[in-house]
Amino acid sequence: MSRSTGILKGLFEAFATTLREMFRKPVTIQYPEEKKPLSARARWRIVLTRDPDGGERCVACYLCSAVCPVSCISMQSADRGDGRRYPEWFRINFGRCILCGMCEEACPTLAIQLTPDYEFCKYKALDMVYEKEDLLIDGTGKDPEYNFYKHAGIGIVNPKGKNPDEYGPVDIRSNMP
Amino acid sequence: MPKLIIDGLEVEVPEGTNVLEAAKKLGIVIPHFCYHSAMGAVGACRLCAMKFVEGPVKGVQVSCMIKAQDGMVVETADPDAMRARRMVIEWLMTNHPHDCPVCDEGGMCLLQDYTIAGGHGRRRYKGKKRTYLSQYLGEFIEQEMNRCIQCYRCHRFYRDYAGGDDFGTKKIANRTFFGRFKDGWLESEFAGNLADVCPTGVFTDKTCHFRARPWELETAPSVCPHCSLGCNLTPGAKLRELMLIKARENPKVNGWFICDRGRFGGGFASRGDRPRKFIVNRQETNRDEAVGAAVKLISAAIARYGPGSVALTGSPRTSLENNHVLKKLADMLKAENICFSTEPFRDMKERRAVSLLNAGSRRSLRDVEFSDLIISAGADPVNEAPMLALMMRQAARKGARVFVIDPRPVRLPFAFTHIPALPDELAEKLAGVLNETRNDSKNPVIICGTDIPGIDAIDACAAAAGRLNCGLFYTLSSANSFGAAVLAGSGPDFGAMLSGMEGGNIRVLIALESDPLGRYPDKERAARALKKLDSLIVMDYLPTDTAKAADVFFPAAAYAEMDGIFINNEGRAQGFSRAYIPGIPVNSMGPGRTPPELHPPREFFSEVPGRSFPAWEYLGDIARGLGMECNNLESLETIRATLSEDRRFAPLAALHPESEGALITAGQADRPKAQTPPSAGGKPDTGEGLLFYAVELTFGTEEISAYSGKTRLRAPEPYVLINSADAAGLGLKDGERVKVSSGKSALSCVLKTSASCAKGAAFAPRLTGFDAAALSGKRVNITKESV
């Protein structure tokens, strides 16, 4: 093939492609008016959920903050007064979060969950820091039946020995079996 | 010494060592719960199984129960042994509530570690779990009995090791319960160690309840500041708040444990009213301005009245380096008025005691455990130096005879002979006891207090120890009393400095972590004298009366917040390291957003807010500001180098924080003379009435922990204690409100009586807000208080 035919071929191919694409249906989506369906396992903004009784699920065990590879979770645990452990404050810096989901995996009470909400850009970096009141939702999220305290035998939701997998408390003043 | 082979490695261990310990020596750690080096083996958990291949014992055996013998060949990773361990840990876990997320032990839990190490990771047992109702054990220890695995460590520590009798075992088999007969504070002064010995989360530190995980804590090897024994501990701080204090092992000092004053006395560091600002004339300012102001005041006083117009007080509760730099500053100023305690009588007695200790007679705290005759004169171990009582108990358990010669009805967690004697009679009674007992004892030790005994008793103890070849052990008042006494030597005491202030010769006082207004026995005199000063410069971390009255105030760093050295009562210099940078705790900073009191602030700081620095930095700044040549005060290394120039402190050169410490001998060169009467406090008056002494208590009287809210909870109501017969003679009954008066001063408190209290004496604790010190050493009248 001579040099001139090569140039002509390239020219015509390019024009032909352009012409062809003019009659194709466009792939561009008019975001935000139009939104693409997310995959079933998409995980974005983190929330704190409540147990079925409406209580805060988070017990401030620090496993999420310990496992977080970018150290974007911080909190202070405390006693609510009745022996229930809860986060006095709980803070996630979404400016730093890489949405890896390891906090959700580590969470023993299923409190911290990643949601499909990806639209939370901000103009100021400090607004990416979410406090507990921004994170806590009113529902159970995934696993609607689960209540940590019904399985851990320390008597917060049910009195001691009243959970389904427990015997009643030992009577320490009797030697009967 | 038997030699045995463990996993193909030969090891030689002392006679009587068990195989588990022998393996540990090789660095092979096999999971175990019930065995503890201090408390021995009982074979309760059955977890430390190993396979004994050759030798006198064969088969899979619980290694803590087998003494190492010659010819043993042991395999720790044998499949049979591993299977045994896996099954045992699975059984132990059948009743465990799996509540690690809400358990304070999580992260430092032996059960967590050894469950995984033992090979059990997934629960197979589907049956129900046993439960207990937990008890309220006071504000120091939290109990959650469901987590128990029945290793009996708590029982063995509390009853056997510490001698408590209000806690023990109930029921049998897997329903075994460890607790009190009914809810209430654990009475032992060593109850806090339950949190350390419990391998799981049954007993946890309530002062740190739900506050932190161990991996978040900033820790460093440290030394307890709450008495003169210098027990080793590990403070843990989170977000600039001192939260959790744990015992650290030192085989020469405290062994494995610490007392509750040391463990729960850390609240002072995070108090809301801790002074954290530089103050000049009641105005908040910055470090440079404060240094400038101090320099101006000092140089003005020197220019006008000469170097004698500046007085400096160091402190027995601050580090050796701080006191040393203060002394250097005094030397550079040519100021002769420098002392290291604001309680002259105690100061003089401690200087005397320290100078009497020598390499031959002094005993370490741990040596007390191995003596066979203990004679304590004028000391109240549980109250003045709690861990001493624990060591004395270990000696008593090994068969030592213990005599306590003291006017107070001394309480100790074991059987002993109490000989009530007034401070004047201590020397005589001591000689009597020694005559009877010295000959059939191999390793005797004489313990002497320095609070209520006089200088004569302190001398008599040293003389007896020298003559009869006994060990000598003085209890002092504070963590660095020894260091302060060595630096003070034969210098003036604080009483002389007060006279200087009253006479107008002293115009400026620099108080380094000392509180003359709060600690000098005659508070009114101190207040009058300090009012005459032109200026008062204070460096401290406690909100003391003196700190509040300061013209120039520098916020200092506390023990866990800086590097330093304390010298304990034995003369053992121990280094401590900085665990965290002091500043306003993040949790008390607020406001962020709603609820504002809870969130930490949302802005960034380039510097730690409210940061305090070690006092030596300020003193160095002042020296530089005064134009002194002081390059050697720039860093801790150079300060220690100048310190080591003093022959007595030469052993410090080899010191590092995790060592057993370096022994310092004060020497007799500048021993204060026995005849020198302290300028205040001295000999008790003669006359009518009971002889009154202010005394120490485990909780509430020690200067630093008195500022900690949690230890204050265990401080009693103010009381005065007298002999029952004396009380009957005065027509008074136990529990009545009485007035204790001497001259113009009087105290109002509750009367306690005891038959074992010496006749003719009265005792009251130096509690905050109860000015017992004012009457100490005086004759008092006790009358019923009219309503």
Side-chain angles (χ1 to χ4, degrees):
Chain A
M1 199 163 30
S2 73
R3 192 165 164 257
S4 50
T5 45
I7 289 171
L8 279 177
K9 186 167 180 271
L11 202 64
F12 281 107
E13 259 183 22
F15 279 120
T17 306
T18 311
L19 203 65
R20 196 165 64 241
E21 293 301 324
M22 279 175 72
F23 300 100
R24 275 248 179 109
K25 199 180 163 209
V27 292
T28 312
I29 284 178
Q30 293 302 312
Y31 181 84
E33 288 80 25
E34 255 182 284
K35 283 171 190 173
K36 226 180 152 181
L38 288 170
S39 86
R41 292 165 70 181
R43 45 189 195 194
W44 298 88
R45 186 171 63 87
I46 299 170
V47 293
L48 289 173
T49 60
R50 292 176 185 275
D51 60 31
D53 309 331
E56 222 176 295
R57 261 182 180 159
C58 177
V59 297
C61 70
Y62 293 93
L63 287 185
C64 51
S65 66
V67 78
C68 180
V70 290
S71 303
C72 71
I73 307 180
S74 50
M75 74 193 88
Q76 177 56 53
S77 52
D79 189 325
R80 207 178 60 179
D82 56 356
R84 187 168 174 144
R85 189 175 164 129
Y86 83 113
E88 217 168 48
W89 52 268
F90 191 107
R91 179 180 275 184
I92 299 181
N93 183 352
F94 281 110
R96 223 192 280 168
C97 177
I98 55 167
L99 305 162
C100 67
M102 277 162 83
C103 48
E104 184 175 10
E105 259 182 73
C107 184
T109 64
L110 309 181
I112 197 164
Q113 296 182 2
L114 276 76
T115 65
D117 174 22
Y118 54 88
E119 295 166 301
F120 58 116
C121 300
K122 299 280 189 287
Y123 285 103
K124 281 193 285 184
L126 203 57
D127 290 346
M128 293 298 275
V129 178
Y130 278 44
E131 303 289 356
K132 189 168 104 177
E133 60 271 20
D134 308 321
L135 296 164
L136 195 62
I137 61 165
D138 276 336
T140 58
K142 305 165 203 170
D143 300 289
E145 300 304 316
Y146 185 73
N147 187 338
F148 169 77
Y149 286 108
K150 290 195 172 153
H151 301 277
I154 51 160
I156 297 295
V157 171
N158 294 329
K160 275 201 175 159
K162 290 283 158 53
N163 278 341
D165 47 358
E166 290 173 351
Y167 291 114
V170 170
D171 176 7
I172 59 166
R173 304 217 184 276
S174 152
N175 255 344
M176 299 301 282
Chain B
M1 298 233 295
K3 266 189 196 165
L4 66 165
I5 295 171
I6 301 173
D7 287 353
L9 302 164
E10 196 181 61
V11 63
E12 191 173 352
V13 289
E15 198 71 50
T17 312
N18 61 40
V19 179
L20 181 64
E21 194 75 46
K24 239 185 214 173
K25 206 176 162 190
L26 284 171
I28 304 168
V29 179
I30 299 303
H32 62 276
F33 294 119
C34 65
Y35 175 72
H36 188 287
S37 310
M39 295 178 283
V42 287
C45 73
R46 319 303 296 173
L47 187 60
C48 58
M50 294 182 191
K51 178 84 167 267
F52 288 71
V53 187
E54 292 290 337
V57 211
K58 291 266 174 66
V60 175
Q61 300 282 349
V62 182
S63 62
C64 71
M65 297 303 283
I66 309 248
K67 299 269 173 281
Q69 289 166 53
D70 270 322
M72 279 183 163
V73 177
V74 186
E75 290 292 331
T76 61
D78 181 271
D80 288 348
M82 305 253 285
R83 180 167 175 273
R85 293 207 292 266
R86 194 172 64 243
M87 291 179 75
V88 168
I89 191 68
E90 192 167 0
W91 289 327
L92 289 177
M93 288 299 289
T94 53
N95 283 318
H96 192 76
H98 293 81
D99 58 348
C100 304
V102 292
C103 174
D104 275 326
E105 193 81 358
M108 52 181 169
C109 177
L110 277 186
L111 188 62
Q112 282 183 330
D113 296 350
Y114 288 164
T115 300
I116 301 303
H120 171 62
R122 191 155 287 273
R123 185 178 173 83
R124 293 188 295 165
Y125 175 70
K126 300 286 179 214
K128 291 187 170 190
K129 293 176 185 179
R130 162 217 68 193
T131 57
Y132 296 102
L133 298 178
S134 301
Q135 290 179 326
Y136 170 80
L137 298 178
E139 292 302 317
F140 287 167
I141 290 290
E142 173 87 9
Q143 187 191 32
E144 176 47 66
M145 210 29 223
N146 283 359
R147 298 169 186 148
C148 184
I149 54 162
Q150 276 88 22
C151 71
Y152 288 82
R153 270 194 191 182
C154 53
H155 175 110
R156 287 182 291 146
F157 173 78
Y158 200 90
R159 296 192 76 95
D160 303 347
Y161 200 91
D165 57 4
D166 60 320
F167 173 96
T169 311
K170 296 187 191 73
K171 304 258 324 174
I172 51 168
N174 79 335
R175 296 179 303 282
T176 309
F177 181 88
F178 301 96
R180 283 168 55 87
F181 186 66
K182 53 183 181 186
D183 285 15
W185 279 80
L186 287 167
E187 284 159 18
S188 172
E189 288 77 10
F190 310 101
N193 291 299
L194 290 181
D196 276 1
V197 298
C198 180
T200 174
V202 178
F203 300 104
T204 47
D205 187 331
K206 202 172 194 171
T207 58
C208 182
H209 178 58
F210 288 174
R211 298 293 289 167
R213 286 286 176 215
W215 60 75
E216 296 178 297
L217 295 175
E218 297 175 82
T219 59
S222 194
V223 177
C224 182
H226 298 297
C227 85
S228 63
L229 298 179
C231 297
N232 288 204
L233 39 81
T234 307
K238 176 189 163 185
L239 302 175
R240 299 197 287 271
E241 187 176 344
L242 185 55
M243 283 194 174
L244 182 68
I245 294 171
K246 290 173 84 75
R248 185 163 66 88
E249 191 185 336
N250 185 331
K252 288 285 184 212
V253 185
N254 54 319
W256 292 265
F257 305 111
I258 54 173
C259 71
D260 285 5
R261 191 204 283 172
R263 187 181 298 271
F264 303 115
F268 70 91
S270 315
R271 270 176 80 101
D273 61 351
R274 173 171 167 176
R276 294 187 190 273
K277 289 173 183 146
F278 295 88
I279 307 269
V280 175
N281 295 328
R282 314 270 171 277
Q283 301 290 313
E284 190 186 327
T285 174
N286 61 26
R287 179 170 165 173
D288 294 339
E289 301 267 319
V291 170
V295 167
K296 221 157 139 195
L297 291 170
I298 295 168
S299 49
I302 290 179
R304 191 148 167 222
Y305 306 101
S309 63
V310 178
L312 307 94
T313 56
S315 160
R317 66 172 154 94
T318 190
S319 73
L320 186 63
E321 290 91 337
N322 280 351
N323 280 332
H324 171 68
V325 174
L326 187 77
K327 198 173 180 195
K328 283 273 159 208
L329 180 65
D331 290 349
M332 287 186 272
L333 293 173
K334 300 189 176 60
E336 279 162 7
N337 286 309
I338 176 164
C339 70
F340 296 90
S341 168
T342 48
E343 293 163 87
F345 193 33
R346 268 178 133 183
D347 183 20
M348 278 310 181
K349 289 191 286 187
E350 291 186 342
R351 288 194 216 176
R352 183 85 190 158
V354 159
S355 71
L356 291 167
L357 280 175
N358 59 49
S361 63
R362 69 163 150 227
R363 293 288 181 273
S364 74
L365 179 57
R366 203 73 202 295
D367 289 339
V368 173
E369 180 178 343
F370 299 101
S371 52
D372 58 355
L373 171 68
I374 300 173
I375 304 168
S376 159
D380 183 356
V382 166
N383 289 319
E384 291 174 358
M387 277 301 287
L388 176 60
L390 198 64
M391 291 303 162
M392 288 165 76
R393 176 175 164 82
Q394 305 324 309
R397 286 174 76 199
K398 295 187 180 97
R401 288 169 299 163
V402 180
F403 297 87
V404 175
I405 310 165
D406 197 278
R408 289 162 282 189
V410 173
R411 181 177 53 82
L412 286 169
F414 55 91
F416 64 99
T417 313
H418 180 230
I419 303 164
L422 288 174
D424 286 351
E425 310 157 1
L426 288 176
E428 185 192 325
K429 299 265 179 181
L430 173 74
V433 175
L434 277 169
N435 272 344
E436 281 171 35
T437 56
R438 175 64 189 95
N439 288 337
D440 30 303
S441 155
K442 284 199 190 71
N443 190 8
V445 60
I446 297 171
I447 291 169
C448 182
T450 50
D451 188 9
I452 64 168
I455 285 193
D456 52 335
I458 290 168
D459 281 351
C461 285
R467 197 174 62 243
L468 298 168
N469 195 20
C470 300
L472 186 58
F473 190 95
Y474 288 112
T475 61
L476 309 175
S477 65
S478 301
N480 197 25
S481 282
F482 192 107
V486 173
L487 288 175
S490 53
D493 68 11
F494 189 67
M497 289 166 49
L498 277 184
S499 311
M501 292 176 216
E502 282 160 348
N505 300 324
I506 293 174
R507 315 299 293 212
V508 176
L509 177 67
I510 304 175
L512 162 66
E513 295 176 34
S514 60
D515 178 20
L517 290 178
R519 301 296 290 188
Y520 185 74
D522 186 348
K523 291 198 175 66
E524 282 175 24
R525 181 181 169 203
R528 272 199 311 273
L530 261 68
K531 267 218 181 83
K532 290 199 163 182
L533 288 172
D534 290 346
S535 46
L536 175 61
I537 300 167
V538 181
M539 298 166 191
D540 210 338
Y541 50 83
L542 296 175
T544 62
D545 294 345
T546 313
K548 283 168 197 153
D551 296 310
V552 183
F553 180 81
F554 296 87
Y559 80 105
E561 302 165 349
M562 61 175 186
D563 295 324
I565 294 169
F566 284 150
I567 306 184
N568 80 354
N569 63 327
E570 181 204 356
R572 187 179 294 274
Q574 300 186 96
F576 53 91
S577 306
R578 184 174 78 184
Y580 65 105
I581 295 173
I584 301 169
V586 171
N587 279 319
S588 54
M589 279 183 76
R593 282 203 294 171
T594 52
E597 69 279 11
L598 295 181
H599 290 309
R602 294 173 66 90
E603 72 248 59
F604 297 100
F605 302 94
S606 53
E607 277 171 13
V608 173
R611 176 151 187 196
S612 330
F613 297 87
W616 60 262
E617 290 193 18
Y618 304 140
L619 291 166
D621 287 353
I622 291 173
R624 265 184 293 280
L626 288 164
M628 310 283 178
E629 190 62 47
C630 53
N631 291 335
N632 51 9
L633 302 185
E634 251 160 26
S635 74
L636 217 50
E637 285 72 38
T638 53
I639 292 170
R640 284 188 189 162
T642 59
L643 198 52
S644 304
E645 283 165 13
D646 185 336
R647 192 175 38 81
R648 295 170 300 179
F649 291 119
L652 293 181
L655 189 69
H656 70 92
E658 277 172 284
S659 70
E660 287 172 359
L663 285 170
I664 307 291
T665 311
Q668 305 165 5
D670 48 13
R671 169 185 299 171
K673 292 188 184 64
Q675 305 86 290
T676 322
S679 48
K683 274 266 170 202
D685 340 334
T686 46
E688 289 296 299
L690 300 170
L691 209 41
F692 183 91
Y693 291 96
V695 295
E696 298 290 326
L697 286 183
T698 316
F699 300 105
T701 60
E702 188 267 327
E703 189 175 0
I704 305 176
S705 64
Y707 287 92
S708 302
K710 291 286 177 182
T711 44
R712 287 282 288 280
L713 292 174
R714 278 206 73 181
E717 283 292 297
Y719 66 82
V720 61
L721 176 75
I722 61 173
N723 182 284
S724 328
D726 284 347
L730 292 167
L732 298 168
K733 284 197 295 288
D734 190 282
E736 271 181 327
R737 276 209 81 82
V738 292
K739 198 174 114 187
V740 184
S741 54
S742 166
K744 277 180 291 172
S745 23
L747 294 168
S748 157
C749 59
V750 173
L751 181 77
K752 273 194 191 179
T753 63
S754 163
S756 52
C757 183
K759 280 187 187 159
F763 303 94
R766 295 185 177 91
L767 291 166
T768 315
F770 178 64
D771 200 4
L775 296 180
S776 200
K778 295 196 171 127
R779 295 269 170 187
V780 295
N781 292 312
I782 301 182
T783 48
K784 194 167 170 179
E785 197 173 53
S786 42
V787 183

